[in-house]
Amino acid sequence: MTQPATAAQQEAPTSDAKSAEDEGSSRRPRLRWDVRSLSLLGVLAVLVAVGGITAPDQFLATSNLQLVLTQASVIGVVTVGMTFVITSGGIDLSVGAMVALASVWATTVATQEFGFAGILFTAVIVGVGCGLVNGLLIAYGRMVPFIATLAMLASARGLALQITDGSTQVVSVQSVLDLGGRDAYILGIPPLVLIFAAVTVIGWLLLNRTTFGRRTVAVGGNAEAARLAGIDVRRQRLYLYLLSGLCCGIAAFMLIVLAGSGQNTNGNLYELDAIAAAIIGGTLLSGGRGTIIGSVLGVLVFTTITNIFALNNLETAVQQIAKGAIIVAAVLVQRRSLRGGDA
């Protein structure tokens, strides 16, 4: 005769099914972001095809592709830092102004007397210093990130204007200028692109493979729950704005190399481009989820669009409209994906 199943035997299938369900649900968000990355790759491929069709001789030229990657590198480094801040549930509207301030402070006559190292050190330390002020105001001063970084935007722009008096500060340090020349390319790759690649890899490892990254996601998902779990939320937020400032300092040095000068207008609207690239890449504006790879793809999409519009002599206004439409579409897709995940 068949023995009746014991209680443990009856519960085993249920437990196995539950485990399988939990495993499937844990994989679902990752699968969704993988699909988003593949979608962005598809969009990028379409843009490359459009550029190849509308301006084949210019767009597909090696020099133009190198230019696209170089231009993407500066805003890309800023976007990596912005991705961390947004993932934590914050925002940084001052990144463009910090880039401008760091670039003009690093190109003053007094700074250039210290050569390559002096320019690099000054750009980085000014960016980190601005990030420190933002972090202290937000984490320990309990100011709303929007207000604190907006104040930094105005202050940094004003200080940059005061330092330059509205003029362009030309770099005279030859080693800095040489870094932007074609002779400095490594296997046909501009040094600035290599810097961007290094920052991207470090950012990805930091967000996905370290305790710092897990704490960033936890703070963005639920700050109170993170605090109760033993995470020092204020210190974590301070570190994140320091990281954003560091990225701005690196980007400022890259911009100095690229332009050969420092101007108070540098980094104009970088904050909007960085936020937009992070959002269309899949980082949640409300915090709790971020993707470095998606943000990088978002930067490449926007930079490619800009390049195609420039090669076809299309108006800047049309370009801005196209960017706005892409941002709206990305947010709508993001909200729909979240509803699907909740269901």
Side-chain angles (χ1 to χ4, degrees):
M1 295 178 60
T2 303
Q3 296 294 330
T6 64
Q9 290 172 331
Q10 290 175 345
E11 291 177 0
T14 304
S15 300
D16 292 341
K18 186 176 181 180
S19 299
E21 183 179 351
D22 291 341
E23 184 178 354
S25 62
S26 65
R27 289 179 178 177
R28 202 172 297 132
R30 181 179 298 178
L31 178 61
R32 187 184 305 134
W33 299 121
D34 288 345
V35 170
R36 181 184 290 276
S37 297
L38 289 174
S39 300
L40 284 174
L41 282 174
V43 171
L44 192 58
V46 170
L47 289 174
V48 170
V50 171
I53 293 172
T54 58
D57 295 334
Q58 297 171 293
F59 181 80
L60 297 178
T62 302
S63 58
N64 184 64
L65 296 178
Q66 290 172 335
L67 176 62
V68 170
L69 291 176
T70 302
Q71 291 176 336
S73 297
V74 180
I75 184 63
V77 170
V78 175
T79 302
V80 170
M82 182 69 79
T83 300
F84 277 89
V85 172
I86 296 178
T87 301
S88 71
I91 198 73
D92 192 346
L93 300 178
S94 63
V95 291
M98 287 194 292
V99 168
L101 179 59
S103 69
V104 299
W105 206 321
T107 53
T108 59
V109 174
T111 303
Q112 292 193 50
E113 291 181 356
F114 293 94
F116 185 101
I119 293 176
L120 174 60
F121 176 79
T122 302
V124 171
I125 204 68
V126 169
V128 172
C130 292
L132 176 63
V133 173
N134 281 338
L136 290 174
L137 289 175
I138 294 167
Y140 294 95
R142 299 186 182 279
M143 289 187 66
V144 177
F146 182 92
I147 300 300
T149 58
L150 186 63
M152 176 58 72
L153 183 157
S155 301
R157 282 288 179 194
L159 184 55
L161 179 60
Q162 186 175 28
I163 291 174
T164 62
D165 197 23
S167 61
T168 299
Q169 298 178 162
V170 179
V171 176
S172 59
V173 180
Q174 192 59 44
S175 56
V176 174
L177 299 175
D178 289 342
L179 192 61
R182 298 190 66 84
D183 292 339
Y185 286 14
I186 301 175
L187 299 177
I189 303 175
L192 299 188
V193 177
L194 295 177
I195 295 174
F196 176 36
V199 171
T200 299
V201 171
I202 294 172
W204 185 89
L205 291 173
L206 195 61
L207 184 61
N208 296 282
R209 293 291 184 269
T210 66
T211 303
F212 180 86
R214 290 191 290 272
R215 288 174 177 171
T216 300
V217 173
V219 170
N222 190 322
E224 181 61 20
R227 186 187 67 80
L228 294 175
I231 297 175
D232 190 332
V233 174
R234 292 187 298 178
R235 185 172 60 186
Q236 184 68 18
R237 285 176 174 160
L238 174 62
Y239 289 162
L240 289 166
Y241 282 95
L242 282 172
L243 178 60
S244 179
L246 173 62
C247 288
C248 288
I250 295 173
F253 177 76
M254 295 168 69
L255 198 57
I256 291 170
V257 172
L258 186 61
S261 63
Q263 304 177 53
N264 66 287
T265 55
N266 283 344
N268 188 34
L269 296 181
Y270 270 21
E271 55 277 359
L272 299 183
D273 288 342
I275 293 171
I279 292 174
I280 73 168
T283 300
L284 292 184
L285 192 57
S286 57
R289 208 170 273 167
T291 163
I292 297 295
I293 299 300
S295 296
V296 169
L297 290 175
V299 169
L300 291 175
V301 166
F302 278 134
T303 308
T304 304
I305 290 175
T306 301
N307 184 258
I308 292 174
F309 274 59
L311 291 178
N312 288 277
N313 297 318
L314 296 176
E315 296 181 2
T316 304
V318 180
Q319 174 185 320
Q320 297 300 330
I321 293 173
K323 284 186 177 182
I326 292 174
I327 296 171
V328 171
V331 172
L332 291 176
V333 169
Q334 191 178 85
R335 291 185 63 183
R336 184 174 180 181
S337 299
L338 286 176
R339 288 174 182 173
D342 293 341

